[in-house]
Amino acid sequence: RKNTKRVPSFRKLLRTSQIKLDNKLKNKQYKQKSAAKKHRKEQKKLREAVRDAISRKPFPLEESKKKQVARKWEEKEEEEALPLDMMDEDDLKLMEDLAQKASFLTRDLSSNEPVHIKKRKHESVIEKYEKVPRRLQTEPEKELIHLLPIKDKSGIIPQAVEKPALNVAHDEEEETEDMEEAEDFNEEPLPILTPEEMAAQRRQKLQERKMHIAALASAILSEPDSNIKKLKELRAMLMEQDPNVAVIVRKLVMVSLMEIFKDIAPSYKIRPLTEAEKATKVKKETQKLREFEEGLVSQYKFYLENLEQTIKDWKQRKLKKSNVISLKAYKGLAEVAVKCLCELLVALPHFNFHNNIIVLIVPLMNDPSKMISELCVEAVKKLFKQDKLGYASLGVVKVISGLVRGRNYDVRPEVLKVFLHLRIKEVELQKDSEDIAPKKKFMTYKEKRKSLSRMQRKWRKAEEKLERELLEAEASESKEKKLKLHTETLNIVFVTYFRILKKAQKSPLLPAVLEGLAKFAHLINVEFFDDLLIVLHSLIASGDLSYRESLHCILSAFHILSGQGDVLNIDPMKFYTHLYKTLFSLHAGGTNEDIGIVLQCLDVMFAKRRKQVSQQRALAFLKRLSILALHVLPNSSVGILATNRLFMQTFPKMDLLLDNESQGSGVYLPELDEPEHCNAQNTALWELHLLQRHYHPTVQKFASHLIVGAPTEGSGALSLDLSQRSATELFETYCMKGMTFNPPVASSVTPRRKDTVSKMDSFVDEELNKQLQQYISETVAHKPLDFAKHLKQPSLA
């Protein structure tokens, strides 16, 4: 009797609830999903069986030819689900042979059940294992020792060990059998190489890779338009998988691609084509140029992404799944990637994705690794110095400002110090843009009709057309546009500085901020002058600043007052007092380098504000600077004496200090910190007589020059080489950083003693080196001397 399914009538369907219909639909969908899941499981089991069959020698089972023919068509349908395109030729051939024995692939060899028997529902794995005989029928007769089985997720795995034979002949038979099985499988063992052979093999592989990289690079550079596709082949070598040469090859490819892009990149930015431009027909040359530009931009983008991913993997301490390169080697790869990015940042500021490179490089300026941070800082400095237009500088300044604010002002001071290399010092914001960059004006039609004839109008029209084309083709930007870029850049710089002054006065960024304000103070808007001077004075009065930071505060204040701030009615007497009070903190020790900043302050405070400085204040500074010249190194003494020379030539009646007679009432008070009330007119510059006997010849010349009143002509005048240099230039010229004297010290050895001295030189040098090493190891290394403590309070007698 057939079990036919009756079709429900329409009336019955009306009585069926919507919930029941929904449940039926869900059951149908669930059955479809179960069938698909079951099919995937069968495919997975078939793949696992293929792997097991490859790993061991199969024993063919007897099967009728009819079943083999019927199963051929089934296996052809199942081959579509297997990933056969990813397998080797040997594996494909083995699968075709095994496809005729599907029962072997799906059958458990440890059982004697029929091939297509249905699985019992309630039969456990352990009961199934107990029913299996302990010895396979197809297995050769060998003495085995059965061990306890292992239970796994897939079931129970039997464990057995062959009983060791006593005679040697049996062992040889087993070895021959193993060799025969190995020959059947075509598995040849890898040869064991010595370290020398491995090194030679590695050198050979590396040489082959180098030759391949060189061939690709030379082909691309010779004809970039035709061989742009080889960039992809060269970039694919960034994924080198041979662990012996992977690190070196990837580094070489990174550097090679960087040099290639620097050479073949055009001097303009490549924009994407619009749909209308793509639809129009063009010449072959134009189409070839478009393909070249499109391929160049895409490969350049992929290359930058590879560099970025290398740096990210090193930062996040991530390794790829292949584990070809160790985590330690990733650091070297990341350093090479950073170098490539820095080179591209400086070399291609006009090309595509330059802003993306800026976003990568600027955070690395604050990297804990000193090498990487210095590389990025130097690259940004070079970019600022060579950027004439200002586009790239504006982008870097924006990212740095965001970085400082996002890190809550917790960045390295070097990040802010790069602002000092911006090329915007010459900009004058007060001038009108029309005066700076007058536009080219052409005559109107009415003006031409009035003043020109018909033939002249025709010629003038042709000339104006040519001039317009030349203006459009001109590569240099107008001064007006350049002024706008510099103004926007400066606004961002000052906003960053003012935020730090307001919210992070005790951060290590304050010295960099004060130094930047001292350089760009003449460009600040006049509206901020009062507030900024109040902040600078409060910083000095707080006493939290170091001596160098307070000097930067003074320099910033006087840059403000000597520029646009000269119209303001502000008395900076408190800044004069602070500098006068702290001059004796300088000495020949660590603070000798700060004298360069002091000389800049004195130049701004006296030379550029000579009308606002009283004679009493100038006399006090002249006397204290002469005292200071006795306690510093020669280059500082030369700079101070050059400043004193400027005082004598700028302010009248400075020759009072060259006379030993007193002027007016009172006694000179050298310890008083008020320059207006120390009675400096009642003293004399006796320090110049000591400086005349100084061991440095240039100091002697300046002292002798000042003693006679610093004349500009005559026998007491200085040479042009010394008189035309500023105090700061003289300070840097006679610097002793390299432990060398300028001019070099002449030898005082007489000709008769030259032979004796030459014989003793070697012996004396050895003895001095021994004593110096002993002194450093015993004294300086364990208990360094505090020179500043001994020289901080100089003698005033």
Side-chain angles (χ1 to χ4, degrees), residues 587 589-590 785-793:
H587 48 75
L785 298 177
D786 191 0
F787 294 102
K789 183 177 179 182
H790 296 287
L791 297 174
K792 192 171 184 180
Q793 299 296 334

Side-chain angles (χ1 to χ4, degrees), residues 57-107:
K57 183 178 178 180
F59 296 98
L61 299 178
E62 295 180 358
E63 194 174 16
S64 61
K65 294 182 179 180
K66 293 181 180 180
K67 292 183 179 180
Q68 291 179 5
V69 175
R71 196 161 286 111
K72 280 183 181 179
W73 299 100
E74 295 178 3
E75 293 300 322
K76 286 182 180 180
E77 295 176 357
E78 292 176 355
E79 281 177 2
E80 297 177 357
L82 294 174
L84 301 180
D85 56 341
M86 302 295 290
M87 305 182 77
D88 298 334
E89 295 181 358
D90 297 337
D91 297 338
L92 285 172
K93 185 177 180 180
L94 185 60
M95 274 196 61
E96 290 175 359
D97 297 337
L98 294 174
Q100 301 176 3
K101 308 179 183 62
S103 60
F104 168 73
L105 300 178
T106 56
R107 181 184 175 189

Side-chain angles (χ1 to χ4, degrees), residues 244-256:
N244 293 327
V245 296
V247 178
I248 299 179
V249 170
R250 292 187 185 187
K251 289 181 180 179
L252 292 173
V253 174
M254 283 182 187
V255 178
S256 302

Side-chain angles (χ1 to χ4, degrees), residues 250-341:
R250 292 187 185 187
K251 289 181 180 179
L252 292 173
V253 174
M254 283 182 187
V255 178
S256 302
L257 283 171
M258 181 262 295
E259 295 293 341
I260 289 171
F261 284 121
K262 283 170 60 177
D263 288 339
I264 67 175
S267 60
Y268 54 87
K269 188 175 182 179
I270 300 173
R271 63 172 181 84
L273 298 175
T274 61
E275 295 296 332
E277 290 174 342
K278 292 180 180 179
T280 56
K281 292 183 178 180
V282 294
K283 297 180 180 179
K284 290 184 178 180
E285 292 80 5
T286 308
Q287 184 64 27
K288 188 176 182 181
L289 179 62
R290 286 182 177 181
E291 292 176 357
F292 165 72
E293 291 179 345
E294 185 179 357
L296 176 63
V297 171
S298 63
Q299 293 302 321
Y300 187 56
K301 178 184 176 183
F302 291 139
Y303 172 63
L304 294 179
E305 288 176 352
N306 288 334
L307 296 181
E308 181 185 9
Q309 191 61 43
T310 302
I311 298 171
K312 282 184 178 179
D313 291 341
W314 172 63
K315 284 288 183 185
Q316 299 172 0
R317 302 295 189 268
K318 282 185 178 180
L319 283 177
K320 300 295 183 183
K321 294 181 180 179
S322 59
N323 291 332
V324 175
I325 298 177
S326 64
L327 191 61
K328 186 178 180 180
Y330 252 97
K331 183 180 179 182
L333 280 176
E335 290 176 355
V336 175
V338 171
K339 287 181 182 178
C340 295
L341 287 172

Side-chain angles (χ1 to χ4, degrees), residues 218-448:
S218 60
I220 295 169
L221 292 176
S222 60
E223 295 181 0
D225 299 342
S226 305
N227 299 324
I228 193 65
K229 292 184 179 179
K230 292 189 176 181
L231 270 176
K232 184 177 181 181
E233 184 180 353
L234 183 59
R235 190 176 55 80
M237 296 183 71
L238 286 173
M239 299 294 112
E240 176 66 41
Q241 297 299 319
D242 192 345
N244 293 327
V245 296
V247 178
I248 299 179
V249 170
R250 292 187 185 187
K251 289 181 180 179
L252 292 173
V253 174
M254 283 182 187
V255 178
S256 302
L257 283 171
M258 181 262 295
E259 295 293 341
I260 289 171
F261 284 121
K262 283 170 60 177
D263 288 339
I264 67 175
S267 60
Y268 54 87
K269 188 175 182 179
I270 300 173
R271 63 172 181 84
L273 298 175
T274 61
E275 295 296 332
E277 290 174 342
K278 292 180 180 179
T280 56
K281 292 183 178 180
V282 294
K283 297 180 180 179
K284 290 184 178 180
E285 292 80 5
T286 308
Q287 184 64 27
K288 188 176 182 181
L289 179 62
R290 286 182 177 181
E291 292 176 357
F292 165 72
E293 291 179 345
E294 185 179 357
L296 176 63
V297 171
S298 63
Q299 293 302 321
Y300 187 56
K301 178 184 176 183
F302 291 139
Y303 172 63
L304 294 179
E305 288 176 352
N306 288 334
L307 296 181
E308 181 185 9
Q309 191 61 43
T310 302
I311 298 171
K312 282 184 178 179
D313 291 341
W314 172 63
K315 284 288 183 185
Q316 299 172 0
R317 302 295 189 268
K318 282 185 178 180
L319 283 177
K320 300 295 183 183
K321 294 181 180 179
S322 59
N323 291 332
V324 175
I325 298 177
S326 64
L327 191 61
K328 186 178 180 180
Y330 252 97
K331 183 180 179 182
L333 280 176
E335 290 176 355
V336 175
V338 171
K339 287 181 182 178
C340 295
L341 287 172
C342 291
E343 288 287 335
L344 294 173
L345 177 75
V346 178
L348 303 176
H350 58 277
F351 198 56
N352 300 54
F353 309 113
H354 189 258
N355 290 333
N356 302 77
I357 299 176
I358 291 173
V359 173
L360 283 174
I361 290 295
V362 170
L364 293 175
M365 295 166 63
N366 194 41
D367 194 79
S369 176
K370 187 176 180 181
M371 179 182 178
I372 290 179
S373 63
E374 287 179 354
L375 277 174
C376 298
V377 168
E378 290 300 323
V380 173
K381 287 180 182 179
K382 288 181 183 178
L383 182 65
F384 283 164
K385 289 178 182 178
Q386 73 179 23
D387 186 22
K388 297 179 180 179
L389 304 180
Y391 287 106
S393 300
L394 179 60
V396 174
V397 168
K398 283 181 178 179
V399 179
I400 291 177
S401 179
L403 176 70
V404 173
R405 189 177 181 184
R407 297 284 180 91
N408 197 17
Y409 312 105
D410 185 17
V411 296
R412 301 178 63 185
E414 288 78 7
V415 178
L416 279 185
K417 285 184 179 179
V418 296
F419 287 162
L420 300 175
H421 299 271
L422 288 168
R423 296 183 58 179
I424 50 179
K425 189 175 182 180
E426 307 83 21
V427 176
E428 297 178 6
L429 301 177
Q430 293 298 320
K431 289 188 178 181
D432 295 331
S433 60
E434 294 182 359
D435 297 335
I436 296 174
K439 297 181 180 179
K440 180 72 175 177
K441 293 183 179 180
F442 298 101
M443 295 179 66
T444 61
Y445 180 73
K446 291 183 179 180
E447 292 173 349
K448 291 177 183 177

